[in-house]
Amino acid sequence: DEAIASGARALFGEKYGDEVRVVSMGTNEDGKAYSVELCGGTHAARTGDIGLVSVTGEGAVAAGVRRLEAMTGTGARRQLNADSRRLRDLAGLLKVPAGEAEARLAALIEERRKLERELTEARKKLAMGGGGEAQDPAREVAGTKLLARAVTGVEMKDLKSLVDEAKTRLGSGVVAIVGVAEDGKAGVVVGVTPDLTERFDAVALVRSASEALGGKGGGGRRDMAQAGGPDGAQAQAALEAVAAAMG
């Protein structure tokens, strides 16, 4: 009780006896110790024995409690020396001084992201016949334009944007795009322009395509729905299934 009254902290919910050891560390400008705690036992006689402290990680262990992990003494020096060598090696690969490695790496990452975006757009245009209407004509089914296409080399997440672009180009109609992945699986997205959602339900159409691909179900809204299936070889059959469901 006397130790706690003096400002010592009891940590980790441990049970202490009537007599405890109080360990303090450092002195701030007010003349008080930086840390005063009850301690069951120390591993160093003084903080100077610990030497260098290098924090290597931290994380949450409970609500409002963080755990710091660090290396000390010789281990910390070895760790920092190894980090310094890795930084020099990285700077060498980037062909810049060590002090400029971070900025150079950030610039390369941003450049790669830009190239990936450009490559994605190029793949989408190529998949849709270069973006020209004459290269990618819609046919008429049940008196309605249907633009149906199977594509490769396009990420599944980009199929929706392809369908949106095609819907805008059509003005009025139905768009069905099947994307075949490298593993042979397929995803399919069906879009219906706003003026036709009373006649056609994209969810019902995409489910027809999914069945042809060996899948089940599909979901979305009347104007946009998606599904998938394991058999990408049936991409054309899936597109024909959409046409049949429209008729």
Side-chain angles (χ1 to χ4, degrees):
D1 292 340
E2 182 181 348
I4 293 176
S6 71
R9 300 170 61 195
L11 303 179
F12 309 118
E14 294 182 4
K15 294 182 179 180
Y16 298 92
D18 291 337
E19 294 186 2
V20 295
R21 184 206 310 252
V22 176
V23 176
S24 63
M25 181 175 68
T27 304
N28 61 27
E29 52 190 31
D30 295 331
K32 298 181 180 179
Y34 283 108
S35 174
V36 183
E37 301 172 8
L38 308 186
C39 183
T42 58
H43 303 281
R46 60 190 63 81
T47 55
D49 295 340
I50 299 171
L52 183 66
V53 177
S54 175
V55 176
T56 58
E58 61 94 19
V61 294
V65 179
R66 308 290 290 181
R67 175 186 177 88
L68 289 179
E69 296 181 355
M71 301 187 75
T72 62
T74 301
R77 288 195 297 274
R78 288 174 179 168
Q79 175 69 30
L80 292 177
N81 285 338
D83 288 345
S84 179
R85 286 194 296 271
R86 282 191 285 269
L87 176 58
R88 288 198 301 271
D89 291 343
L90 177 60
L93 291 173
L94 296 172
K95 294 181 172 53
V96 295
E100 299 175 12
E102 182 180 3
R104 177 57 178 157
L105 183 57
L108 286 175
I109 291 174
E110 180 56 34
E111 183 179 344
R112 176 176 175 174
R113 287 174 179 166
K114 179 181 178 182
L115 290 173
E116 287 177 344
R117 290 193 296 267
E118 292 175 352
L119 179 59
T120 296
E121 290 303 313
R123 284 175 171 171
K124 287 163 63 176
K125 289 181 179 179
L126 181 62
M128 296 302 289
E133 183 66 26
Q135 297 167 301
D136 191 17
R139 56 174 162 150
E140 196 166 294
V141 176
T144 302
K145 290 181 181 179
L146 168 63
L147 196 159
R149 194 171 184 88
V151 300
T152 58
V154 177
E155 296 288 337
M156 293 297 114
K157 61 183 177 65
D158 293 323
L159 290 181
K160 279 189 174 181
S161 63
L162 277 180
V163 170
D164 275 333
E165 292 170 9
K167 284 169 62 178
T168 300
R169 191 162 74 237
L170 278 183
S172 176
V174 175
V175 179
I177 298 180
V178 176
V180 182
E182 292 182 358
D183 60 4
K185 295 180 181 179
V188 55
V189 177
V190 174
V192 178
T193 55
D195 60 311
L196 297 174
T197 53
E198 292 298 322
R199 288 183 57 195
F200 302 108
D201 181 0
V203 176
L205 296 177
V206 86
R207 286 176 178 170
S208 298
S210 178
E211 290 178 7
L213 296 170
K216 293 182 179 179
R221 309 181 306 270
R222 291 188 67 89
D223 65 331
M224 180 77 75
Q226 65 180 3
D231 191 0
Q234 299 301 317
Q236 290 298 329
L239 296 175
E240 291 304 321
V242 173
M246 289 175 60

